[in-house]
Amino acid sequence: MDEFQSGEETTFVVDEVSSVIKEGVETVIGGSSYHHNKVNQWTSNVVEQCLNQLTKLNKPFKYIVSCVIMQKNGAGLHTAASCFWDNTTDGMRMTCCSIAARALWRLVV
């Protein structure tokens, strides 16, 4: 990587990341219903798909991808994230997607 990259190349673009997340989930899960026995594979595949696509953006970032899939049955889910970074170049994107009988949370930093 060049030492002097343009600001666009070194800025965390939320819309790009959101698109990668949405594509990753659609590719792996699509319109499937919640199946407990598939959750481990789905989470692994969603994370892998998102990381692969994020690295293809060729940005000078390190990515952390976390995925939680849970059945939508009224149970609560509490999560927290804390980061120390430069707000002008770094960022975080949390997305929730609720489809039929499942809720899917993804966090990309």
PDB file of all heavy atoms in Angstrom, residues 42-81:
ATOM      1  N   TRP A  42     -24.670 -21.067   9.347  1.00  0.00           N
ATOM      2  CA  TRP A  42     -25.051 -19.760   8.824  1.00  0.00           C
ATOM      3  C   TRP A  42     -24.152 -18.655   9.371  1.00  0.00           C
ATOM      4  O   TRP A  42     -23.686 -17.811   8.616  1.00  0.00           O
ATOM      5  CB  TRP A  42     -26.491 -19.433   9.187  1.00  0.00           C
ATOM      6  CG  TRP A  42     -27.528 -20.084   8.328  1.00  0.00           C
ATOM      7  CD1 TRP A  42     -27.355 -20.679   7.111  1.00  0.00           C
ATOM      8  CD2 TRP A  42     -28.911 -20.189   8.624  1.00  0.00           C
ATOM      9  NE1 TRP A  42     -28.542 -21.152   6.643  1.00  0.00           N
ATOM     10  CE2 TRP A  42     -29.529 -20.860   7.551  1.00  0.00           C
ATOM     11  CE3 TRP A  42     -29.695 -19.798   9.691  1.00  0.00           C
ATOM     12  CZ2 TRP A  42     -30.890 -21.132   7.508  1.00  0.00           C
ATOM     13  CZ3 TRP A  42     -31.047 -20.071   9.655  1.00  0.00           C
ATOM     14  CH2 TRP A  42     -31.642 -20.727   8.582  1.00  0.00           C
ATOM     15  N   THR A  43     -23.931 -18.648  10.692  1.00  0.00           N
ATOM     16  CA  THR A  43     -23.106 -17.577  11.270  1.00  0.00           C
ATOM     17  C   THR A  43     -21.689 -17.629  10.708  1.00  0.00           C
ATOM     18  O   THR A  43     -21.124 -16.603  10.343  1.00  0.00           O
ATOM     19  CB  THR A  43     -23.078 -17.639  12.808  1.00  0.00           C
ATOM     20  OG1 THR A  43     -22.671 -18.938  13.224  1.00  0.00           O
ATOM     21  CG2 THR A  43     -24.422 -17.306  13.404  1.00  0.00           C
ATOM     22  N   SER A  44     -21.118 -18.813  10.616  1.00  0.00           N
ATOM     23  CA  SER A  44     -19.765 -18.950  10.054  1.00  0.00           C
ATOM     24  C   SER A  44     -19.717 -18.462   8.612  1.00  0.00           C
ATOM     25  O   SER A  44     -18.800 -17.731   8.221  1.00  0.00           O
ATOM     26  CB  SER A  44     -19.304 -20.409  10.105  1.00  0.00           C
ATOM     27  OG  SER A  44     -19.167 -20.840  11.425  1.00  0.00           O
ATOM     28  N   ASN A  45     -20.705 -18.858   7.826  1.00  0.00           N
ATOM     29  CA  ASN A  45     -20.718 -18.482   6.414  1.00  0.00           C
ATOM     30  C   ASN A  45     -20.968 -16.988   6.203  1.00  0.00           C
ATOM     31  O   ASN A  45     -20.378 -16.381   5.307  1.00  0.00           O
ATOM     32  CB  ASN A  45     -21.755 -19.299   5.647  1.00  0.00           C
ATOM     33  CG  ASN A  45     -21.360 -20.753   5.514  1.00  0.00           C
ATOM     34  OD1 ASN A  45     -20.240 -21.141   5.820  1.00  0.00           O
ATOM     35  ND2 ASN A  45     -22.290 -21.572   5.065  1.00  0.00           N
ATOM     36  N   VAL A  46     -21.843 -16.382   7.015  1.00  0.00           N
ATOM     37  CA  VAL A  46     -22.105 -14.942   6.902  1.00  0.00           C
ATOM     38  C   VAL A  46     -20.829 -14.165   7.223  1.00  0.00           C
ATOM     39  O   VAL A  46     -20.443 -13.244   6.499  1.00  0.00           O
ATOM     40  CB  VAL A  46     -23.262 -14.498   7.819  1.00  0.00           C
ATOM     41  CG1 VAL A  46     -23.309 -12.981   7.953  1.00  0.00           C
ATOM     42  CG2 VAL A  46     -24.594 -15.013   7.289  1.00  0.00           C
ATOM     43  N   VAL A  47     -20.154 -14.535   8.305  1.00  0.00           N
ATOM     44  CA  VAL A  47     -18.920 -13.856   8.686  1.00  0.00           C
ATOM     45  C   VAL A  47     -17.865 -14.006   7.592  1.00  0.00           C
ATOM     46  O   VAL A  47     -17.219 -13.030   7.193  1.00  0.00           O
ATOM     47  CB  VAL A  47     -18.399 -14.377  10.047  1.00  0.00           C
ATOM     48  CG1 VAL A  47     -16.987 -13.910  10.318  1.00  0.00           C
ATOM     49  CG2 VAL A  47     -19.338 -13.937  11.164  1.00  0.00           C
ATOM     50  N   GLU A  48     -17.688 -15.215   7.098  1.00  0.00           N
ATOM     51  CA  GLU A  48     -16.703 -15.470   6.055  1.00  0.00           C
ATOM     52  C   GLU A  48     -17.025 -14.688   4.780  1.00  0.00           C
ATOM     53  O   GLU A  48     -16.144 -14.069   4.174  1.00  0.00           O
ATOM     54  CB  GLU A  48     -16.647 -16.964   5.749  1.00  0.00           C
ATOM     55  CG  GLU A  48     -15.568 -17.336   4.760  1.00  0.00           C
ATOM     56  CD  GLU A  48     -15.497 -18.844   4.548  1.00  0.00           C
ATOM     57  OE1 GLU A  48     -15.702 -19.601   5.512  1.00  0.00           O
ATOM     58  OE2 GLU A  48     -15.260 -19.244   3.398  1.00  0.00           O
ATOM     59  N   GLN A  49     -18.273 -14.703   4.370  1.00  0.00           N
ATOM     60  CA  GLN A  49     -18.697 -13.990   3.166  1.00  0.00           C
ATOM     61  C   GLN A  49     -18.447 -12.488   3.309  1.00  0.00           C
ATOM     62  O   GLN A  49     -17.922 -11.844   2.399  1.00  0.00           O
ATOM     63  CB  GLN A  49     -20.181 -14.260   2.902  1.00  0.00           C
ATOM     64  CG  GLN A  49     -20.771 -13.534   1.723  1.00  0.00           C
ATOM     65  CD  GLN A  49     -20.374 -14.135   0.394  1.00  0.00           C
ATOM     66  OE1 GLN A  49     -19.914 -15.257   0.308  1.00  0.00           O
ATOM     67  NE2 GLN A  49     -20.557 -13.373  -0.661  1.00  0.00           N
ATOM     68  N   CYS A  50     -18.823 -11.926   4.448  1.00  0.00           N
ATOM     69  CA  CYS A  50     -18.626 -10.486   4.676  1.00  0.00           C
ATOM     70  C   CYS A  50     -17.144 -10.128   4.686  1.00  0.00           C
ATOM     71  O   CYS A  50     -16.736  -9.151   4.058  1.00  0.00           O
ATOM     72  CB  CYS A  50     -19.291 -10.049   5.979  1.00  0.00           C
ATOM     73  SG  CYS A  50     -21.095 -10.038   5.900  1.00  0.00           S
ATOM     74  N   LEU A  51     -16.331 -10.907   5.386  1.00  0.00           N
ATOM     75  CA  LEU A  51     -14.893 -10.620   5.418  1.00  0.00           C
ATOM     76  C   LEU A  51     -14.272 -10.712   4.036  1.00  0.00           C
ATOM     77  O   LEU A  51     -13.441  -9.866   3.665  1.00  0.00           O
ATOM     78  CB  LEU A  51     -14.181 -11.573   6.380  1.00  0.00           C
ATOM     79  CG  LEU A  51     -14.290 -11.222   7.853  1.00  0.00           C
ATOM     80  CD1 LEU A  51     -13.668 -12.321   8.714  1.00  0.00           C
ATOM     81  CD2 LEU A  51     -13.631  -9.888   8.149  1.00  0.00           C
ATOM     82  N   ASN A  52     -14.653 -11.714   3.266  1.00  0.00           N
ATOM     83  CA  ASN A  52     -14.116 -11.841   1.907  1.00  0.00           C
ATOM     84  C   ASN A  52     -14.455 -10.618   1.063  1.00  0.00           C
ATOM     85  O   ASN A  52     -13.601 -10.097   0.344  1.00  0.00           O
ATOM     86  CB  ASN A  52     -14.643 -13.106   1.228  1.00  0.00           C
ATOM     87  CG  ASN A  52     -14.003 -14.362   1.764  1.00  0.00           C
ATOM     88  OD1 ASN A  52     -12.915 -14.325   2.321  1.00  0.00           O
ATOM     89  ND2 ASN A  52     -14.681 -15.478   1.604  1.00  0.00           N
ATOM     90  N   GLN A  53     -15.698 -10.166   1.139  1.00  0.00           N
ATOM     91  CA  GLN A  53     -16.112  -9.022   0.333  1.00  0.00           C
ATOM     92  C   GLN A  53     -15.509  -7.707   0.845  1.00  0.00           C
ATOM     93  O   GLN A  53     -15.178  -6.824   0.052  1.00  0.00           O
ATOM     94  CB  GLN A  53     -17.639  -8.929   0.289  1.00  0.00           C
ATOM     95  CG  GLN A  53     -18.301 -10.097  -0.426  1.00  0.00           C
ATOM     96  CD  GLN A  53     -17.755 -10.303  -1.829  1.00  0.00           C
ATOM     97  OE1 GLN A  53     -17.643  -9.365  -2.611  1.00  0.00           O
ATOM     98  NE2 GLN A  53     -17.406 -11.535  -2.155  1.00  0.00           N
ATOM     99  N   LEU A  54     -15.361  -7.574   2.158  1.00  0.00           N
ATOM    100  CA  LEU A  54     -14.745  -6.363   2.710  1.00  0.00           C
ATOM    101  C   LEU A  54     -13.285  -6.245   2.285  1.00  0.00           C
ATOM    102  O   LEU A  54     -12.815  -5.154   1.949  1.00  0.00           O
ATOM    103  CB  LEU A  54     -14.853  -6.358   4.237  1.00  0.00           C
ATOM    104  CG  LEU A  54     -16.249  -6.087   4.789  1.00  0.00           C
ATOM    105  CD1 LEU A  54     -16.303  -6.408   6.277  1.00  0.00           C
ATOM    106  CD2 LEU A  54     -16.672  -4.657   4.521  1.00  0.00           C
ATOM    107  N   THR A  55     -12.566  -7.348   2.281  1.00  0.00           N
ATOM    108  CA  THR A  55     -11.159  -7.281   1.859  1.00  0.00           C
ATOM    109  C   THR A  55     -11.032  -6.948   0.381  1.00  0.00           C
ATOM    110  O   THR A  55     -10.050  -6.332  -0.031  1.00  0.00           O
ATOM    111  CB  THR A  55     -10.407  -8.592   2.165  1.00  0.00           C
ATOM    112  OG1 THR A  55     -11.075  -9.675   1.542  1.00  0.00           O
ATOM    113  CG2 THR A  55     -10.325  -8.837   3.660  1.00  0.00           C
ATOM    114  N   LYS A  56     -12.039  -7.299  -0.416  1.00  0.00           N
ATOM    115  CA  LYS A  56     -12.016  -6.960  -1.840  1.00  0.00           C
ATOM    116  C   LYS A  56     -12.191  -5.463  -2.089  1.00  0.00           C
ATOM    117  O   LYS A  56     -11.952  -4.986  -3.195  1.00  0.00           O
ATOM    118  CB  LYS A  56     -13.090  -7.743  -2.592  1.00  0.00           C
ATOM    119  CG  LYS A  56     -12.759  -9.212  -2.734  1.00  0.00           C
ATOM    120  CD  LYS A  56     -13.845  -9.958  -3.482  1.00  0.00           C
ATOM    121  CE  LYS A  56     -13.519 -11.446  -3.556  1.00  0.00           C
ATOM    122  NZ  LYS A  56     -14.587 -12.193  -4.247  1.00  0.00           N
ATOM    123  N   LEU A  57     -12.613  -4.714  -1.071  1.00  0.00           N
ATOM    124  CA  LEU A  57     -12.723  -3.260  -1.209  1.00  0.00           C
ATOM    125  C   LEU A  57     -11.342  -2.598  -1.272  1.00  0.00           C
ATOM    126  O   LEU A  57     -11.233  -1.428  -1.624  1.00  0.00           O
ATOM    127  CB  LEU A  57     -13.526  -2.669  -0.047  1.00  0.00           C
ATOM    128  CG  LEU A  57     -14.991  -3.082   0.059  1.00  0.00           C
ATOM    129  CD1 LEU A  57     -15.612  -2.500   1.332  1.00  0.00           C
ATOM    130  CD2 LEU A  57     -15.773  -2.639  -1.175  1.00  0.00           C
ATOM    131  N   ASN A  58     -10.307  -3.357  -0.905  1.00  0.00           N
ATOM    132  CA  ASN A  58      -8.915  -2.867  -0.931  1.00  0.00           C
ATOM    133  C   ASN A  58      -8.714  -1.591  -0.122  1.00  0.00           C
ATOM    134  O   ASN A  58      -8.050  -0.667  -0.558  1.00  0.00           O
ATOM    135  CB  ASN A  58      -8.442  -2.661  -2.372  1.00  0.00           C
ATOM    136  CG  ASN A  58      -8.315  -3.969  -3.102  1.00  0.00           C
ATOM    137  OD1 ASN A  58      -7.855  -4.954  -2.546  1.00  0.00           O
ATOM    138  ND2 ASN A  58      -8.738  -3.982  -4.350  1.00  0.00           N
ATOM    139  N   LYS A  59      -9.317  -1.557   1.034  1.00  0.00           N
ATOM    140  CA  LYS A  59      -9.133  -0.434   1.956  1.00  0.00           C
ATOM    141  C   LYS A  59      -8.070  -0.826   2.987  1.00  0.00           C
ATOM    142  O   LYS A  59      -7.936  -2.000   3.321  1.00  0.00           O
ATOM    143  CB  LYS A  59     -10.443  -0.119   2.683  1.00  0.00           C
ATOM    144  CG  LYS A  59     -11.598   0.235   1.788  1.00  0.00           C
ATOM    145  CD  LYS A  59     -11.545   1.656   1.365  1.00  0.00           C
ATOM    146  CE  LYS A  59     -12.803   2.009   0.581  1.00  0.00           C
ATOM    147  NZ  LYS A  59     -12.984   3.426   0.435  1.00  0.00           N
ATOM    148  N   PRO A  60      -7.334   0.128   3.514  1.00  0.00           N
ATOM    149  CA  PRO A  60      -6.283  -0.182   4.489  1.00  0.00           C
ATOM    150  C   PRO A  60      -6.833  -0.363   5.901  1.00  0.00           C
ATOM    151  O   PRO A  60      -6.393   0.289   6.844  1.00  0.00           O
ATOM    152  CB  PRO A  60      -5.369   1.043   4.401  1.00  0.00           C
ATOM    153  CG  PRO A  60      -6.308   2.162   4.075  1.00  0.00           C
ATOM    154  CD  PRO A  60      -7.348   1.543   3.156  1.00  0.00           C
ATOM    155  N   PHE A  61      -7.819  -1.247   6.049  1.00  0.00           N
ATOM    156  CA  PHE A  61      -8.469  -1.464   7.338  1.00  0.00           C
ATOM    157  C   PHE A  61      -8.275  -2.889   7.811  1.00  0.00           C
ATOM    158  O   PHE A  61      -8.030  -3.793   7.027  1.00  0.00           O
ATOM    159  CB  PHE A  61      -9.985  -1.220   7.247  1.00  0.00           C
ATOM    160  CG  PHE A  61     -10.377   0.174   6.887  1.00  0.00           C
ATOM    161  CD1 PHE A  61     -11.254   0.405   5.841  1.00  0.00           C
ATOM    162  CD2 PHE A  61      -9.894   1.261   7.594  1.00  0.00           C
ATOM    163  CE1 PHE A  61     -11.635   1.690   5.502  1.00  0.00           C
ATOM    164  CE2 PHE A  61     -10.260   2.548   7.268  1.00  0.00           C
ATOM    165  CZ  PHE A  61     -11.135   2.763   6.216  1.00  0.00           C
ATOM    166  N   LYS A  62      -8.452  -3.059   9.098  1.00  0.00           N
ATOM    167  CA  LYS A  62      -8.602  -4.378   9.702  1.00  0.00           C
ATOM    168  C   LYS A  62     -10.082  -4.467  10.039  1.00  0.00           C
ATOM    169  O   LYS A  62     -10.664  -3.527  10.563  1.00  0.00           O
ATOM    170  CB  LYS A  62      -7.759  -4.491  10.968  1.00  0.00           C
ATOM    171  CG  LYS A  62      -6.276  -4.400  10.689  1.00  0.00           C
ATOM    172  CD  LYS A  62      -5.485  -4.392  11.965  1.00  0.00           C
ATOM    173  CE  LYS A  62      -4.016  -4.234  11.631  1.00  0.00           C
ATOM    174  NZ  LYS A  62      -3.221  -3.962  12.796  1.00  0.00           N
ATOM    175  N   TYR A  63     -10.706  -5.582   9.728  1.00  0.00           N
ATOM    176  CA  TYR A  63     -12.140  -5.719   9.947  1.00  0.00           C
ATOM    177  C   TYR A  63     -12.406  -6.744  11.037  1.00  0.00           C
ATOM    178  O   TYR A  63     -11.737  -7.758  11.127  1.00  0.00           O
ATOM    179  CB  TYR A  63     -12.846  -6.175   8.669  1.00  0.00           C
ATOM    180  CG  TYR A  63     -12.785  -5.162   7.556  1.00  0.00           C
ATOM    181  CD1 TYR A  63     -11.885  -5.292   6.513  1.00  0.00           C
ATOM    182  CD2 TYR A  63     -13.645  -4.072   7.561  1.00  0.00           C
ATOM    183  CE1 TYR A  63     -11.836  -4.359   5.490  1.00  0.00           C
ATOM    184  CE2 TYR A  63     -13.605  -3.136   6.547  1.00  0.00           C
ATOM    185  CZ  TYR A  63     -12.697  -3.281   5.511  1.00  0.00           C
ATOM    186  OH  TYR A  63     -12.651  -2.363   4.509  1.00  0.00           O
ATOM    187  N   ILE A  64     -13.436  -6.456  11.815  1.00  0.00           N
ATOM    188  CA  ILE A  64     -13.954  -7.398  12.803  1.00  0.00           C
ATOM    189  C   ILE A  64     -15.424  -7.599  12.441  1.00  0.00           C
ATOM    190  O   ILE A  64     -16.180  -6.633  12.363  1.00  0.00           O
ATOM    191  CB  ILE A  64     -13.842  -6.849  14.234  1.00  0.00           C
ATOM    192  CG1 ILE A  64     -12.387  -6.582  14.582  1.00  0.00           C
ATOM    193  CG2 ILE A  64     -14.493  -7.810  15.223  1.00  0.00           C
ATOM    194  CD1 ILE A  64     -12.204  -5.800  15.864  1.00  0.00           C
ATOM    195  N   VAL A  65     -15.806  -8.829  12.206  1.00  0.00           N
ATOM    196  CA  VAL A  65     -17.197  -9.120  11.851  1.00  0.00           C
ATOM    197  C   VAL A  65     -17.754 -10.073  12.894  1.00  0.00           C
ATOM    198  O   VAL A  65     -17.153 -11.090  13.206  1.00  0.00           O
ATOM    199  CB  VAL A  65     -17.302  -9.764  10.450  1.00  0.00           C
ATOM    200  CG1 VAL A  65     -18.754 -10.097  10.134  1.00  0.00           C
ATOM    201  CG2 VAL A  65     -16.714  -8.847   9.395  1.00  0.00           C
ATOM    202  N   SER A  66     -18.904  -9.733  13.421  1.00  0.00           N
ATOM    203  CA  SER A  66     -19.579 -10.559  14.407  1.00  0.00           C
ATOM    204  C   SER A  66     -21.004 -10.772  13.919  1.00  0.00           C
ATOM    205  O   SER A  66     -21.627  -9.861  13.396  1.00  0.00           O
ATOM    206  CB  SER A  66     -19.577  -9.840  15.756  1.00  0.00           C
ATOM    207  OG  SER A  66     -20.308 -10.560  16.699  1.00  0.00           O
ATOM    208  N   CYS A  67     -21.509 -11.970  14.107  1.00  0.00           N
ATOM    209  CA  CYS A  67     -22.862 -12.286  13.650  1.00  0.00           C
ATOM    210  C   CYS A  67     -23.601 -13.042  14.746  1.00  0.00           C
ATOM    211  O   CYS A  67     -23.082 -14.005  15.298  1.00  0.00           O
ATOM    212  CB  CYS A  67     -22.772 -13.140  12.381  1.00  0.00           C
ATOM    213  SG  CYS A  67     -24.353 -13.717  11.757  1.00  0.00           S
ATOM    214  N   VAL A  68     -24.807 -12.602  15.044  1.00  0.00           N
ATOM    215  CA  VAL A  68     -25.669 -13.289  16.003  1.00  0.00           C
ATOM    216  C   VAL A  68     -26.979 -13.577  15.288  1.00  0.00           C
ATOM    217  O   VAL A  68     -27.599 -12.679  14.728  1.00  0.00           O
ATOM    218  CB  VAL A  68     -25.949 -12.419  17.252  1.00  0.00           C
ATOM    219  CG1 VAL A  68     -26.928 -13.122  18.179  1.00  0.00           C
ATOM    220  CG2 VAL A  68     -24.661 -12.073  17.973  1.00  0.00           C
ATOM    221  N   ILE A  69     -27.370 -14.825  15.301  1.00  0.00           N
ATOM    222  CA  ILE A  69     -28.659 -15.207  14.728  1.00  0.00           C
ATOM    223  C   ILE A  69     -29.484 -15.804  15.855  1.00  0.00           C
ATOM    224  O   ILE A  69     -29.029 -16.685  16.571  1.00  0.00           O
ATOM    225  CB  ILE A  69     -28.498 -16.251  13.602  1.00  0.00           C
ATOM    226  CG1 ILE A  69     -27.662 -15.656  12.469  1.00  0.00           C
ATOM    227  CG2 ILE A  69     -29.864 -16.709  13.104  1.00  0.00           C
ATOM    228  CD1 ILE A  69     -27.341 -16.639  11.367  1.00  0.00           C
ATOM    229  N   MET A  70     -30.702 -15.284  16.011  1.00  0.00           N
ATOM    230  CA  MET A  70     -31.578 -15.836  17.043  1.00  0.00           C
ATOM    231  C   MET A  70     -33.002 -15.891  16.530  1.00  0.00           C
ATOM    232  O   MET A  70     -33.389 -15.128  15.653  1.00  0.00           O
ATOM    233  CB  MET A  70     -31.498 -15.020  18.327  1.00  0.00           C
ATOM    234  CG  MET A  70     -31.964 -13.593  18.209  1.00  0.00           C
ATOM    235  SD  MET A  70     -31.790 -12.663  19.734  1.00  0.00           S
ATOM    236  CE  MET A  70     -33.080 -13.369  20.737  1.00  0.00           C
ATOM    237  N   GLN A  71     -33.745 -16.824  17.071  1.00  0.00           N
ATOM    238  CA  GLN A  71     -35.140 -16.961  16.691  1.00  0.00           C
ATOM    239  C   GLN A  71     -35.938 -15.819  17.295  1.00  0.00           C
ATOM    240  O   GLN A  71     -35.708 -15.418  18.438  1.00  0.00           O
ATOM    241  CB  GLN A  71     -35.691 -18.299  17.169  1.00  0.00           C
ATOM    242  CG  GLN A  71     -37.071 -18.596  16.650  1.00  0.00           C
ATOM    243  CD  GLN A  71     -37.512 -20.008  16.978  1.00  0.00           C
ATOM    244  OE1 GLN A  71     -36.916 -20.668  17.824  1.00  0.00           O
ATOM    245  NE2 GLN A  71     -38.549 -20.461  16.321  1.00  0.00           N
ATOM    246  N   LYS A  72     -36.845 -15.300  16.529  1.00  0.00           N
ATOM    247  CA  LYS A  72     -37.683 -14.193  16.988  1.00  0.00           C
ATOM    248  C   LYS A  72     -38.836 -14.765  17.791  1.00  0.00           C
ATOM    249  O   LYS A  72     -39.837 -15.224  17.233  1.00  0.00           O
ATOM    250  CB  LYS A  72     -38.196 -13.428  15.778  1.00  0.00           C
ATOM    251  CG  LYS A  72     -38.822 -12.110  16.086  1.00  0.00           C
ATOM    252  CD  LYS A  72     -39.155 -11.400  14.788  1.00  0.00           C
ATOM    253  CE  LYS A  72     -39.675 -10.030  15.035  1.00  0.00           C
ATOM    254  NZ  LYS A  72     -39.960  -9.353  13.768  1.00  0.00           N
ATOM    255  N   ASN A  73     -38.663 -14.781  19.130  1.00  0.00           N
ATOM    256  CA  ASN A  73     -39.697 -15.369  19.986  1.00  0.00           C
ATOM    257  C   ASN A  73     -39.986 -14.516  21.215  1.00  0.00           C
ATOM    258  O   ASN A  73     -40.538 -14.999  22.185  1.00  0.00           O
ATOM    259  CB  ASN A  73     -39.289 -16.784  20.403  1.00  0.00           C
ATOM    260  CG  ASN A  73     -38.020 -16.810  21.222  1.00  0.00           C
ATOM    261  OD1 ASN A  73     -37.485 -15.770  21.573  1.00  0.00           O
ATOM    262  ND2 ASN A  73     -37.529 -18.002  21.512  1.00  0.00           N
ATOM    263  N   GLY A  74     -39.572 -13.257  21.180  1.00  0.00           N
ATOM    264  CA  GLY A  74     -39.849 -12.353  22.287  1.00  0.00           C
ATOM    265  C   GLY A  74     -38.741 -12.263  23.320  1.00  0.00           C
ATOM    266  O   GLY A  74     -38.806 -11.445  24.230  1.00  0.00           O
ATOM    267  N   ALA A  75     -37.707 -13.105  23.199  1.00  0.00           N
ATOM    268  CA  ALA A  75     -36.587 -13.050  24.131  1.00  0.00           C
ATOM    269  C   ALA A  75     -35.752 -11.799  23.857  1.00  0.00           C
ATOM    270  O   ALA A  75     -35.679 -11.325  22.730  1.00  0.00           O
ATOM    271  CB  ALA A  75     -35.724 -14.299  23.996  1.00  0.00           C
ATOM    272  N   GLY A  76     -35.119 -11.286  24.880  1.00  0.00           N
ATOM    273  CA  GLY A  76     -34.286 -10.104  24.725  1.00  0.00           C
ATOM    274  C   GLY A  76     -32.864 -10.462  24.341  1.00  0.00           C
ATOM    275  O   GLY A  76     -32.387 -11.571  24.579  1.00  0.00           O
ATOM    276  N   LEU A  77     -32.194  -9.519  23.720  1.00  0.00           N
ATOM    277  CA  LEU A  77     -30.782  -9.658  23.382  1.00  0.00           C
ATOM    278  C   LEU A  77     -30.123  -8.331  23.679  1.00  0.00           C
ATOM    279  O   LEU A  77     -30.522  -7.297  23.151  1.00  0.00           O
ATOM    280  CB  LEU A  77     -30.601 -10.008  21.897  1.00  0.00           C
ATOM    281  CG  LEU A  77     -29.158  -9.987  21.393  1.00  0.00           C
ATOM    282  CD1 LEU A  77     -28.359 -11.122  22.047  1.00  0.00           C
ATOM    283  CD2 LEU A  77     -29.118 -10.110  19.885  1.00  0.00           C
ATOM    284  N   HIS A  78     -29.129  -8.351  24.540  1.00  0.00           N
ATOM    285  CA  HIS A  78     -28.398  -7.139  24.891  1.00  0.00           C
ATOM    286  C   HIS A  78     -26.953  -7.316  24.459  1.00  0.00           C
ATOM    287  O   HIS A  78     -26.324  -8.321  24.782  1.00  0.00           O
ATOM    288  CB  HIS A  78     -28.455  -6.880  26.401  1.00  0.00           C
ATOM    289  CG  HIS A  78     -29.850  -6.705  26.905  1.00  0.00           C
ATOM    290  ND1 HIS A  78     -30.512  -5.501  26.852  1.00  0.00           N
ATOM    291  CD2 HIS A  78     -30.718  -7.589  27.439  1.00  0.00           C
ATOM    292  CE1 HIS A  78     -31.723  -5.646  27.340  1.00  0.00           C
ATOM    293  NE2 HIS A  78     -31.868  -6.911  27.714  1.00  0.00           N
ATOM    294  N   THR A  79     -26.450  -6.356  23.712  1.00  0.00           N
ATOM    295  CA  THR A  79     -25.055  -6.384  23.288  1.00  0.00           C
ATOM    296  C   THR A  79     -24.452  -5.012  23.508  1.00  0.00           C
ATOM    297  O   THR A  79     -25.174  -4.012  23.619  1.00  0.00           O
ATOM    298  CB  THR A  79     -24.904  -6.765  21.798  1.00  0.00           C
ATOM    299  OG1 THR A  79     -25.540  -5.755  21.009  1.00  0.00           O
ATOM    300  CG2 THR A  79     -25.522  -8.114  21.501  1.00  0.00           C
ATOM    301  N   ALA A  80     -23.141  -4.961  23.548  1.00  0.00           N
ATOM    302  CA  ALA A  80     -22.443  -3.685  23.678  1.00  0.00           C
ATOM    303  C   ALA A  80     -21.136  -3.776  22.918  1.00  0.00           C
ATOM    304  O   ALA A  80     -20.568  -4.850  22.761  1.00  0.00           O
ATOM    305  CB  ALA A  80     -22.171  -3.383  25.151  1.00  0.00           C
ATOM    306  N   ALA A  81     -20.695  -2.638  22.422  1.00  0.00           N
ATOM    307  CA  ALA A  81     -19.413  -2.567  21.730  1.00  0.00           C
ATOM    308  C   ALA A  81     -18.746  -1.259  22.104  1.00  0.00           C
ATOM    309  O   ALA A  81     -19.407  -0.235  22.270  1.00  0.00           O
ATOM    310  CB  ALA A  81     -19.612  -2.642  20.218  1.00  0.00           C
TER     311      ALA A  81
END
